[in-house]
Amino acid sequence: MKVLVINSGSSSLKFELIDMTNEKSIAKGLCERIGISNPIFTYKNLVKGVVVKDRPEPMENHKIAIDVVLKQLQDPENGVIRNVDEIDAIGHRVVHGGEYYDDSVLVNDEVLKNLEELSALAPLHNPANVMGIKVMRELLPGKKNVAVFDTAFHQTMEPKAFMYALPYEDYTELKVRKYGFHGTSHKYVSEVAREMLGKEDSKIIVCHLGNGASISAVQNGKVVDTSMGLTPLAGVMMGTRTGDVDPAAAFYVMEKRGLDLKGIDTRMNKQSGIKGIFGPSSDFRDLASEMEKGNERAILAYDMFCYKIKSYIGAYVAAMNGIDAIAFTGGIGENAFYVRRDICNDLTFLGIKLDDEKAGEWLPGNVEITTKDSKVKVYKIETAEELVIARDTYRLTK
Ligand code: ADP
């Protein structure tokens, strides 16, 4: 059984073909600049180790892009399947499942209708996700498609955690509430952490730190609270997003800078966060290398980033009235060992004791970085969002 995982964005499309007999990825790649100038295609055959990088391809729309993907997968030289019959099902990442979905779902016409309705809540993401599903249904009719939601795992939050103190009808009529995102990662990483802890009853805080970043409190496998909100703008500071700010700051900046809604949306989503404070880049590696040179704005951005995460950890220890483990994941959480170390060294009141050696260097795989007698365990866990999508697709279609 082979599952094709599709993550369709507005101008990009990531794909991965996973063999479910051993859960190994056999090919993956990326279509970039779809529908804009100079589109490029990247592909890796993971069986042979062949890499096709930045190949120019005419990809005027998502249908043509997915066609390029399917042709490449069947390519006699560098492909991994003889024909599309070998693809058993397709799993799609869908950002917003609203209150409709607390689990992944097999796509039918009614599901598609709901997803289109949910585009109002996630206008930057859901329309592109829905397009990916529609194109796949067109190109491979008869194959089953499964939608896997970023929001689903967080649906266990209680109203006291997910409600905003806006007029109640904004919730009942407009569905304005906290949803949370990166759910597939929080689910997978909290499950791995639970296994590493060896304890069913567990209080775990997951810090997913990538370009987008979110923290979640997971008690006995259920999300109690999470840092992102109605949209992925809330919570900790991110690559280009503000994270939490006083909403009135947005009104004030709009007024003073003469921005309309789109203008303030772009400023807060694309020009803020690490990029906004540091300046030249939103990439953590650039930030780290400038910090080493003593760049004050880089140091400020780094300190703000770590402080906010530490504050969320404190809040979530309170939310769960205790904690067993903290798990770091995502591009920054997995690789920037100094972030893990600097945050945890400032949390000694919890009884965290880092193993200096393990906490002070980059390590492969899933590892514990605390000492044996540390009251709270700290883990670095490699996330596997595509695998979660493939597993759910397999579960719902096999
Ligand atoms: P996305 O949210 O786009 O999936 P990722 O989880 O891939 O993002 O994380 C991207 C971030 O991880 C970038 O800021 C990048 O600089 C950072 N990152 C990747 N590798 C390293 C590394 N070795 N050291 C520090 N930061 C890293």
Side-chain angles (χ1 to χ4, degrees):
M1 168 110 185
K2 292 187 183 77
V3 170
L4 179 61
V5 175
I6 297 280
N7 182 351
S8 173
S10 56
S11 66
S12 70
L13 187 140
K14 281 191 207 157
F15 64 94
E16 188 157 340
L17 189 65
I18 299 179
D19 185 344
M20 295 313 290
T21 50
N22 53 13
E23 295 196 332
K24 285 246 154 55
S25 176
I26 48 181
K28 64 184 199 178
L30 173 66
C31 307
E32 287 171 282
R33 307 181 58 82
I34 301 168
I36 34 184
S37 58
N38 310 319
I40 46 173
F41 179 72
T42 299
Y43 169 80
K44 284 184 194 163
N45 173 328
L46 297 160
V47 183
K48 282 200 210 160
V50 177
V51 180
V52 175
K53 204 160 165 36
D54 297 341
R55 185 173 80 201
E57 278 282 350
M59 294 186 286
E60 289 110 62
N61 57 44
H62 284 69
K63 191 170 172 187
I64 301 176
I66 292 183
D67 203 42
V68 168
V69 172
L70 294 176
K71 286 213 174 89
Q72 179 67 58
L73 291 173
Q74 300 169 83
D75 182 70
E77 205 181 325
N78 290 329
V80 286
I81 51 176
R82 272 183 311 276
N83 60 56
V84 289
D85 287 344
E86 286 183 45
I87 300 173
D88 295 278
I90 303 118
H92 298 262
R93 178 197 180 195
V94 177
V95 168
H96 222 303
E99 286 187 330
Y100 283 122
Y101 303 106
D102 61 4
D103 193 5
S104 305
V105 66
L106 196 60
V107 176
N108 57 25
D109 292 343
E110 193 199 329
V111 170
L112 262 184
K113 205 176 114 256
N114 292 342
L115 298 188
E116 279 175 335
E117 187 191 311
L118 288 166
S119 288
L121 289 176
L124 298 177
H125 300 102
N126 268 41
N129 305 152
V130 170
M131 178 146 52
I133 297 176
K134 284 187 169 166
V135 168
M136 226 58 229
R137 290 203 336 155
E138 226 177 296
L139 289 175
L140 299 180
K143 300 269 178 212
K144 288 181 179 155
N145 290 271
V146 169
V148 181
F149 304 97
D150 270 34
T151 50
F153 185 53
H154 301 300
Q155 278 293 304
T156 51
M157 277 185 290
E158 288 182 25
K160 68 181 177 197
F162 73 65
M163 286 296 293
Y164 291 141
L166 286 163
Y168 193 67
E169 59 270 23
D170 288 353
Y171 169 61
T172 52
E173 293 167 14
L174 304 178
K175 302 281 173 233
V176 174
R177 53 160 281 183
K178 177 188 276 197
Y179 290 96
F181 298 87
H182 291 137
T184 46
S185 178
H186 287 287
K187 181 175 182 219
Y188 176 80
V189 171
S190 60
E191 277 167 8
V192 174
R194 209 171 171 188
E195 272 166 34
M196 288 170 85
L197 256 179
K199 207 168 139 182
E200 272 298 299
D201 295 343
S202 55
K203 296 175 178 176
I204 296 166
I205 293 177
V206 177
C207 303
H208 176 107
L209 312 176
N211 270 321
S214 61
I215 318 291
S216 68
V218 187
Q219 188 167 352
N220 305 336
K222 293 203 166 82
V223 175
V224 170
D225 206 345
T226 190
S227 62
M228 283 179 167
L230 172 73
T231 77
L233 183 57
V236 296
M237 178 175 166
M238 303 174 222
T240 63
R241 296 184 205 133
T242 54
D244 299 336
V245 286
D246 177 351
F251 313 148
Y252 187 73
V253 172
M254 279 174 87
E255 191 186 9
K256 289 291 170 191
R257 299 206 178 276
L259 298 176
D260 59 9
L261 281 177
K262 197 163 187 299
I264 192 71
D265 189 271
T266 305
R267 196 167 179 84
M268 294 178 80
N269 269 297
K270 305 239 167 90
Q271 297 163 352
S272 296
I274 288 170
K275 171 102 177 77
I277 299 295
F278 167 44
S281 165
S282 62
D283 194 290
F284 215 81
R285 286 163 287 202
D286 297 340
L287 179 83
S289 80
E290 277 300 306
M291 259 173 44
E292 272 175 26
K293 294 183 205 152
N295 179 325
E296 282 181 14
R297 293 262 294 267
I299 294 168
L300 173 63
Y302 180 82
D303 288 346
M304 287 169 70
F305 182 80
C306 294
Y307 176 74
K308 192 73 186 178
I309 295 163
K310 169 185 138 88
S311 306
Y312 261 99
I313 292 173
Y316 287 170
V317 172
M320 296 190 287
N321 193 19
I323 178 169
D324 296 305
I326 302 173
F328 288 91
T329 192
I332 299 167
E334 290 170 32
N335 296 300
F337 62 86
Y338 38 91
V339 167
R340 305 191 293 254
R341 183 193 58 201
D342 293 349
I343 292 171
C344 293
N345 272 339
D346 221 9
L347 287 169
T348 44
F349 79 99
L350 289 176
I352 293 180
K353 279 197 217 161
L354 290 182
D355 175 318
D356 288 337
E357 224 167 88
K358 285 186 184 155
E361 61 180 340
W362 185 90
L363 293 167
N366 299 336
V367 278
E368 178 183 336
I369 60 165
T370 30
T371 58
K372 276 216 166 75
D373 61 342
S374 181
K375 278 199 201 137
V376 174
K377 302 289 177 192
V378 180
Y379 304 122
K380 169 237 157 176
I381 294 172
E382 293 178 351
T383 196
E385 290 169 283
E386 284 75 16
L387 180 61
V388 175
I389 297 175
R391 279 182 184 166
D392 275 11
T393 304
Y394 181 61
R395 167 169 63 88
L396 292 171
T397 58
K398 70 173 183 231

